Amino acid sequence: MPHRDDSVETIQQEMTAFARRARATAARMHPELSLVSYTLLAHLDDQRGCRATDLAAHYFLDKSTVSRQIAALEKLGFVERRVDPDDHRVQVLHPTEKGAQVLANVTASRRQAFHERLADWDEADLDRFATYLRRYNAAQERLG
């Protein structure tokens, strides 16, 4: 029976390989939309807009990192700034129509890639894997 440390090491290696593939896949799907940019754009779309400081806090990113990513998204025409109607001093970031369309296209491509990768998995394996991923991410959120 494998030792717990061996299993944890394997998980770490596989998660690293997964992250590396995810970045490479994102670059192939839309060369100008990095995985971080895609994630931020998806969050803006999901939240129907938010402030850059909220993005930084949500993803535990430095404000300068978010600022650079947002500037790149703005340059591509994927994100726009709007004045917050409740506080005119605050700018809220929103996906543009072009950004929403690119996001929808990339999301559909990613979903298709996952379906292809998991095509030969039975329902029970998919359910277990989904449960384990939710559990792993919940632990990460709890621990910070």
Side-chain angles (χ1 to χ4, degrees):
M1 185 157 192
H3 189 270
R4 182 176 180 88
D5 287 345
D6 294 337
S7 295
V8 170
E9 179 65 21
T10 298
I11 291 167
Q12 185 272 326
Q13 289 171 353
E14 293 301 319
M15 295 291 282
T16 300
F18 174 82
R20 194 171 29 253
R21 277 192 313 276
R23 283 190 300 274
T25 300
R28 279 195 311 276
M29 288 185 186
H30 197 286
E32 297 150 319
L33 195 62
S34 72
L35 186 58
V36 172
S37 294
Y38 169 83
T39 302
L40 297 179
L41 185 59
H43 187 81
L44 291 175
D45 189 62
D46 184 56
Q47 297 297 306
R48 294 185 169 82
C50 73
R51 299 174 309 164
T53 54
D54 297 331
L55 282 173
H58 183 78
Y59 289 106
F60 304 104
L61 293 171
D62 185 78
K63 289 178 188 176
S64 65
T65 300
V66 171
S67 181
R68 282 191 304 276
Q69 295 293 327
I70 293 302
L73 289 169
E74 285 178 307
K75 186 175 180 182
L76 291 167
F78 295 166
V79 168
E80 64 186 2
R81 295 173 190 268
R82 298 182 198 158
V83 174
D84 186 336
D86 297 327
D87 184 347
H88 295 292
R89 298 169 298 171
V90 176
Q91 291 186 330
V92 179
L93 302 165
H94 292 272
T96 61
E97 189 174 317
K98 180 180 178 183
Q101 187 59 55
V102 165
L103 180 64
N105 293 344
V106 172
T107 299
S109 296
R110 287 177 54 139
R111 188 172 289 121
Q112 180 61 34
F114 273 103
H115 278 283
E116 290 169 6
R117 254 182 245 123
L118 301 169
D120 62 344
W121 289 41
D122 66 33
E123 199 67 37
D125 284 344
L126 288 172
D127 287 343
R128 273 191 298 279
F129 188 49
T131 297
Y132 294 151
L133 285 173
R134 278 193 298 274
R135 185 174 165 192
Y136 176 80
N137 286 326
Q140 180 63 30
E141 287 178 20
R142 237 185 7 263
L143 298 172

